[in-house]
Amino acid sequence: MTKPNPILDRTSLAREGYLIIPGLLDQDWIQQLKAEQSRFSAKSKYALTVQAQLVHRSRIIREFVTNGPQVDIAVEVLGKNVCFTHQQYVTKYPDEKHRSDVLWHQDNGFGRLEPPEDLTVWMTLDDCDEANGCLWVIPGSHQRGLLSHESENGLMTTRVNEPGIPLPMRAGDAVIFGSLLLHSSKPNRTDKQRVAMYVRYCTPNVVMVNEGNKPVLEDAYSWLVAGEAS
């Protein structure tokens, strides 16, 4: 069943740098996407696992990133011409011996897109709170521009002095933000796994700086999902 598109608070998004979209995913999408995460999961010694760019291996994920309810939101934020460019599952397993936190960073600190005309849609497939590793953000931090990042514990991070605020959400909720918002997540301290998925969209004119300024539409994983490209 298709849900009506939410009315976005564009003023709040511009001011705070993020916006929560309650109930973006219905139970059917939640179940299908969790099943695909499980299908591609593999045993790992790490408590934090990332499964990236499964669009070429999963019909369900491919259908979701090109036609899911988040595409209309990306169009509303970015304009009529929109590309899909990246997908990841981020799973935190219960494990007291190994770290499952994700350090403070900006998405452009990992995969830099220029100009930063992009939107991340971060969706939780399980109820998430401070106990199992919900997302944390620093409101308004997108206005600082791109910060210097360095590698730590296998992840890119930047120095942050503020505590930030947690974003507890129910399964199927989403939060949207651009590539300059500072965000992180803390360890999973419960006895159950926490699965989240994010997808990233951009305008078709951006280039991928980390890959020699390659135009996004020359990337094998990046597809136009709305509008046209010049």
Side-chain angles (χ1 to χ4, degrees), residues 43-227:
K43 290 185 178 181
S44 171
K45 65 179 180 180
Y46 300 106
L48 175 72
T49 65
V50 174
Q51 299 159 286
Q53 301 295 57
L54 297 175
V55 290
H56 290 181
R57 301 175 62 190
S58 167
R59 175 190 58 80
I60 290 170
I61 295 174
R62 184 163 60 250
E63 173 65 19
F64 179 73
V65 303
T66 54
N67 292 299
Q70 75 286 351
V71 173
D72 285 344
I73 292 174
V75 169
E76 183 171 345
V77 174
L78 298 174
K80 64 180 181 179
N81 302 320
V82 173
C83 299
F84 159 77
T85 188
H86 196 77
Q87 168 268 328
Q88 281 189 357
Y89 284 108
V90 181
T91 304
K92 295 174 181 282
Y93 295 96
D95 189 338
E96 295 182 355
K97 297 181 180 180
H98 298 95
R99 294 179 61 171
S100 61
D101 56 321
V102 177
L103 305 173
W104 285 109
H105 67 281
Q106 301 164 308
D107 282 350
N108 253 9
F110 276 85
R112 184 177 172 187
L113 300 179
E114 288 293 341
E117 297 173 355
D118 63 285
L119 186 75
T120 291
V121 185
W122 192 98
M123 299 154 285
T124 182
L125 302 179
D126 294 306
D127 292 349
C128 66
D129 54 25
E130 293 182 54
N132 70 353
C134 70
L135 205 68
W136 288 63
V137 300
I138 298 180
S141 57
H142 63 300
Q143 299 177 24
R144 304 176 190 180
L146 181 61
L147 304 176
S148 175
H149 286 64
E150 60 185 20
S151 178
E152 181 179 333
N153 194 39
L155 300 172
M156 299 300 293
T157 186
T158 189
R159 187 177 302 277
V160 169
N161 295 319
E162 303 100 313
I165 63 170
L167 301 181
M169 296 190 290
R170 301 295 299 272
D173 292 350
V175 57
I176 61 173
F177 51 89
S179 58
L180 298 178
L181 182 78
L182 285 165
H183 56 287
S184 67
S185 62
K186 296 185 179 180
N188 180 1
R189 300 301 187 193
T190 70
D191 59 359
K192 297 180 181 179
Q193 70 179 25
R194 187 232 69 182
V195 181
M197 180 181 184
Y198 83 72
V199 288
R200 193 178 186 192
Y201 297 90
C202 65
T203 56
N205 60 297
V206 307
V207 299
M208 307 172 78
V209 175
N210 301 55
E211 299 187 29
N213 292 320
K214 179 169 67 176
V216 68
L217 284 178
E218 292 183 10
D219 178 66
Y221 288 99
S222 300
W223 306 325
L224 195 71
V225 297

